[in-house]
């Protein structure tokens, strides 16, 4: 599991100006055109989602703090009213929100739930058809909004059942926050928790430790209970990293914990924290009766097989291969490939400055340098094990979507080399496994426009030069493709036309170097 440690938000705090309530009141309607501004009787600005005016369910209002609303309000479609400021003549009450909704034509026939960030935590039935729940931070608020959105149909139309759901949340909720640090302790990275810091072997290892701590209170729950796990990434993990994080959580929960399987539902959001200047995650867990929250289906696969993926120890089994590898030949090929990427960094950076964040070249360069350092004293005749150990290092040091893609592919390749009859067959297996973890496909203007033609041509034709030509053609095609994923997808097509995808170009340079000496 690869997660970049340092914050990569492309705008400064002053540029974002998210602590200015009027900023949110202007941004949210632009992002979701169905949102309009309304005024409470006391002059407070309330944002209303017109799409929910005739909702058959209990209406939901969220009252937060300026600059601290998360992505949940952009993704969840069950929040009818949003309050980002506390200005106006006096305190904004539940009755004020109710009046504003009713006067704007919103149906409140099923009732109204208000989720508010406050100094104290409590739930309060204000009248028969209004319920207010107060929590202390954005993580818990996000979790509540997710619960209300994914509740059963009966819970969404019953104030009694909704109250039961929210009371279960307050009774059982536990939270944990982990922030990844750039510092190390005995060559191991450090993670910062609320109660102190600790070293960890990999991001996956840290996540599992965090989950064990968060789930400890729920493992003995009744079988008719759904464990609700809500995670918020801190400072913007990529969509791919979030998907991996979600799958790792699902895989963890799906395993037997204290000799019982846990029924669960996973939700997520993103929170920006400019004070931390680092990335990580927060996890909130609670136990909800299944008649109020049904569990989700378990995933059909996990990121890894039963083989270990962390660095081997003297007591752990090592991955072997049916394919004979010579250390010198493998080493020369890797050195050629990594050096080619390092030499190409200025060009990759130039392309990514035009169509992306400008960091792709640095990410690939640093990953290549780290690969050379790490493998310098490894036995590359045992290539599957060397790759497995390398991934454990790169998933900490090589960040962003590129880091996640490379780590998934290399981990899958190591596993495939353990059983495959040839390198091309192993590459095909690794490619197929990678496609399970990303929505990107050929034509989406990503590094897969280079990888997939290379792998498939090598497997079908058995010719390295022909495979390289196919990869080159794939990269060339990205010059005229509209970006559908990643940062480039936010740009006008004219801005990317004529410029190859930086990730695809960088991978092509790596493949060109690797193919200077063939080990197939």
């Amino acid at each position: 599991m690869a997660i970049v440690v340092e914050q990569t938000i492309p705008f400064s705090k002053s540029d974002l100006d998210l602590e200015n309530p009027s900023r949110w009141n202007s941004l949210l309607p632009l992002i979701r055109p169905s949102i309009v501004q309304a005024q409470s009787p006391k002059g407070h600005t309330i944002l209303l989602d017109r799409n929910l005016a005739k909702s058959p369910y209990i209406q939901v209002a969220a009252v937060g703090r300026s600059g601290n609303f998360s992505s949940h309000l952009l993704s969840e479609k069950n929040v009818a009213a949003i309050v980002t400021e506390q200005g106006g003549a006096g305190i904004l009450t539940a009755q004020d929100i109710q009046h504003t909704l009713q006067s704007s034509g919103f149906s409140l026939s099923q009732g109204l739930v208000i989720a508010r960030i406050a100094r104290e935590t409590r739930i309060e039935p204000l009248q028969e058809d209004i319920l207010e729940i107060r929590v202390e931070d954005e993580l818990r608020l996000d979790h509540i909004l997710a619960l209300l959105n994914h509740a059963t149909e009966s819970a969404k139309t019953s104030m009694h059942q909704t109250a039961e759901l929210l009371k279960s949340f307050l009774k059982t909720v536990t939270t944990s926050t982990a922030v990844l640090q750039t510092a190390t302790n005995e060559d191991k990275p450090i993670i910062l928790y609320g109660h102190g810091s600790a070293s960890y072997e990999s991001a996956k290892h840290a996540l599992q430790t965090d989950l064990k701590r968060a789930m400890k209170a729920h493992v003995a729950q009744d079988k008719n209970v759904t464990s609700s796990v809500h995670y918020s990434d801190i400072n913007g993990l990529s969509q791919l990293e979030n998907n991996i994080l979600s799958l790792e959580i699902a895989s963890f929960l799906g395993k037997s914990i204290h000799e019982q399987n846990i029924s669960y539902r996973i939700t997520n959001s993103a929170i920006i924290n400019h004070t931390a200047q680092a990335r990580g995650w927060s996890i909130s867990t609670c136990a909800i009766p299944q008649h109020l929250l049904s569990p989700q289906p378990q995933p059909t696969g996990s990121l890894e097989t039963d083989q270990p993926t962390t660095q081997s120890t003297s007591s752990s089994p090592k991955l072997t291969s049916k394919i004979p590898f010579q250390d010198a030949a493998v080493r020369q090929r890797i050195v050629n490939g990594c050096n080619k990427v390092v030499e190409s960094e200025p060009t990759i950076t130039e392309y990514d400055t035009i169509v992306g964040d400008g960091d792709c070249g640095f990410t690939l360069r640093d990953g290549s340098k780290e690969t050379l350092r790490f493998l310098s004293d490894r036995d590359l005749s045992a290539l599957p094990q060397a790759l497995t150990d390398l991934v454990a290092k790169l998933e900490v040091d090589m960040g962003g979507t590129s880091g996640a893609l490379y780590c998934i592919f290399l981990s899958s390749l190591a596993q495939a080399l353990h059983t495959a009859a040839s390198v091309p067959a192993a590459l095909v297996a690794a490619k197929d496994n990678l496609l399970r973890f990303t929505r990107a496909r050929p034509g989406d203007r990503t590094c897969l426009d280079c990888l997939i033609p290379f792998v498939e041509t090598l497997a079908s034709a058995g010719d390295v030069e022909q495979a390289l030509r196919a990869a080159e053609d794939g990269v060339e095609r990205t010059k005229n493709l509209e970006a559908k994923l990643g940062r480039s997808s936010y740009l006008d097509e004219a801005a990317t036309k004529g410029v190859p995808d930086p990730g695809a170009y960088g991978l092509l340079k790596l493949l060109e170097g690797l193919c200077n000496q063939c080990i197939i």
Side-chain angles (χ1 to χ4, degrees):
M1 195 176 101
I3 293 178
V4 64
V5 173
E6 295 190 40
Q7 185 186 30
T8 57
I9 299 172
F11 299 101
S12 67
K13 182 178 181 180
S14 60
D15 289 335
L16 288 171
D17 193 24
L18 296 182
E19 293 180 0
N20 180 356
S22 62
R23 177 78 157 168
W24 279 100
N25 293 339
S26 300
L27 280 176
L28 288 176
L30 288 175
I31 298 171
R32 282 175 62 181
S34 60
I35 290 179
V36 296
Q37 292 189 22
Q39 297 295 314
S40 76
K42 298 175 182 175
H44 302 89
T45 298
I46 301 179
L47 302 178
L48 305 179
D49 190 339
R50 292 174 298 181
N51 287 343
L52 296 174
K54 304 303 180 184
S55 172
Y57 303 125
I58 294 169
Q59 297 284 18
V60 178
V63 182
R65 295 181 291 205
S66 298
N68 288 283
F69 272 111
S70 76
S71 65
H72 231 45
L73 296 181
L74 306 180
S75 59
E76 298 292 1
K77 301 299 190 292
N78 66 320
V79 182
I82 304 167
V83 181
T84 66
E85 63 177 330
Q86 302 298 315
I91 298 174
L92 179 67
T93 66
Q95 288 75 18
D96 293 331
I97 297 174
Q98 179 190 39
H99 180 274
T100 304
L101 284 166
Q102 288 177 329
S103 62
S104 300
F106 279 69
S107 171
L108 298 181
S109 59
Q110 300 295 345
L112 172 64
V113 171
I114 299 170
R116 186 192 301 262
I117 292 182
R119 294 180 179 178
E120 74 287 344
T121 297
R122 73 169 189 264
I123 185 169
E124 185 176 1
L126 300 177
Q127 53 193 61
E128 186 176 350
D129 58 349
I130 301 180
L131 181 67
E132 181 168 313
I133 181 169
R134 300 187 174 201
V135 290
E136 298 177 2
D137 55 44
E138 286 73 30
L139 175 63
R140 289 177 176 85
L141 179 65
D142 282 0
H143 197 171
I144 289 170
L145 297 179
L147 286 172
L148 294 173
N149 189 32
H150 293 282
T152 59
E153 289 289 310
S154 62
K156 288 182 178 181
T157 56
S158 166
M159 287 296 289
H160 174 75
Q161 289 193 17
T162 295
E164 183 185 354
L165 183 152
L166 295 176
K167 288 176 182 177
S168 297
F169 169 81
L170 292 183
K171 182 180 179 180
T172 62
V173 64
T174 58
T175 62
S176 178
T177 296
V179 179
L180 303 170
Q181 305 293 296
T182 56
T184 59
N185 180 22
E186 296 181 353
D187 294 329
K188 289 186 177 180
I190 295 175
I191 194 164
L192 182 65
Y193 297 102
H195 56 79
S197 61
S199 302
Y200 66 97
E201 296 178 2
S202 66
K204 178 179 178 178
H205 173 263
L207 176 63
Q208 289 180 338
T209 300
D210 218 19
L211 282 168
K212 288 177 182 177
R213 183 182 298 109
M215 293 300 299
K216 188 176 182 180
H218 306 310
V219 292
Q221 294 288 343
D222 186 273
K223 291 183 179 179
N224 294 321
V225 163
T226 298
S227 290
S228 174
V229 179
H230 183 84
Y231 70 93
S232 292
D233 76 73
I234 299 173
N235 290 334
L237 302 181
S238 70
Q239 185 172 6
L240 176 61
E241 290 170 319
N242 266 300
N243 289 341
I244 296 171
L245 196 64
S246 179
L247 184 62
E248 292 291 1
I249 293 173
S251 298
F252 176 88
L253 296 176
K255 293 179 181 178
S256 177
I257 302 178
H258 293 282
E259 300 182 352
Q260 74 175 54
N261 288 324
I262 291 179
S263 298
Y264 59 85
R265 178 165 290 277
I266 301 172
T267 53
N268 77 289
S269 59
I271 295 175
I272 294 177
N273 183 354
H274 282 282
T275 61
Q277 294 296 307
R279 307 177 85 186
W281 57 76
S282 292
I283 297 176
S284 174
T285 64
C286 67
I288 306 295
Q290 289 191 3
H291 71 278
L292 303 175
L293 181 71
S294 58
Q296 69 184 56
Q298 293 191 21
T300 57
S302 63
L303 182 58
E304 61 177 5
T305 67
D306 292 334
Q307 297 292 339
T309 58
T310 56
Q311 184 167 335
S312 61
T313 63
S314 57
S315 60
S316 60
K318 293 187 176 181
L319 284 179
T320 57
S321 177
K322 298 178 181 179
I323 308 169
F325 294 106
Q326 294 183 353
D327 180 282
V330 175
R331 190 174 304 279
Q332 188 59 57
R333 181 175 179 174
I334 292 175
V335 169
N336 288 344
C338 290
N339 284 339
K340 188 76 170 179
V341 172
V342 173
E343 293 169 3
S344 304
E345 176 271 315
T347 303
I348 302 171
T349 298
E350 179 184 357
Y351 291 151
D352 198 42
T353 301
I354 298 172
V355 301
D357 291 334
D359 61 351
C360 182
F362 301 130
T363 298
L364 297 181
R365 178 200 64 190
D366 294 346
S368 296
K369 288 183 176 180
E370 184 57 44
T371 296
L372 292 174
R373 282 193 296 268
F374 187 82
L375 295 180
S376 62
D377 59 352
R378 300 281 163 156
D379 177 13
L380 298 186
S381 64
L383 185 58
Q385 188 59 53
L387 290 177
T388 298
D389 294 344
L390 174 64
V391 168
K393 180 66 174 173
L394 289 182
E395 69 176 7
V396 175
D397 294 338
M398 187 177 179
T401 302
S402 294
L405 288 169
Y406 275 84
C407 285
I408 294 171
F409 184 79
L410 291 176
S411 179
S412 302
L413 179 60
Q415 299 295 331
L417 288 172
H418 178 55
T419 56
S422 67
V423 171
L427 289 171
V428 170
K431 178 262 297 181
D432 290 343
N433 196 48
L434 174 62
L435 292 178
R436 294 170 50 218
F437 296 94
T438 175
R439 294 185 295 112
R441 293 295 184 269
D444 286 340
R445 191 181 163 87
T446 70
C447 65
L448 295 186
D449 287 297
C450 174
L451 176 67
I452 292 178
F454 177 84
V455 170
E456 293 182 347
T457 303
L458 183 63
S460 61
D463 183 89
V464 172
E465 290 187 4
Q466 190 173 336
L468 268 180
R469 285 195 297 272
E472 290 170 351
D473 291 342
V475 174
E476 189 66 22
R477 283 193 295 271
T478 65
K479 292 181 178 181
N480 298 307
L481 291 175
E482 178 184 0
K484 299 178 181 178
L485 300 168
R487 188 71 62 185
S488 298
S489 63
Y490 297 103
L491 300 175
D492 185 86
E493 185 177 356
T496 62
K497 194 172 184 64
V499 180
D501 176 73
Y505 180 83
L507 177 58
L508 176 61
K509 297 297 110 177
L510 175 64
L511 293 174
E512 287 176 351
L514 290 173
C515 291
N516 281 347
Q517 292 204 14
C518 180
I519 60 172
I520 299 173

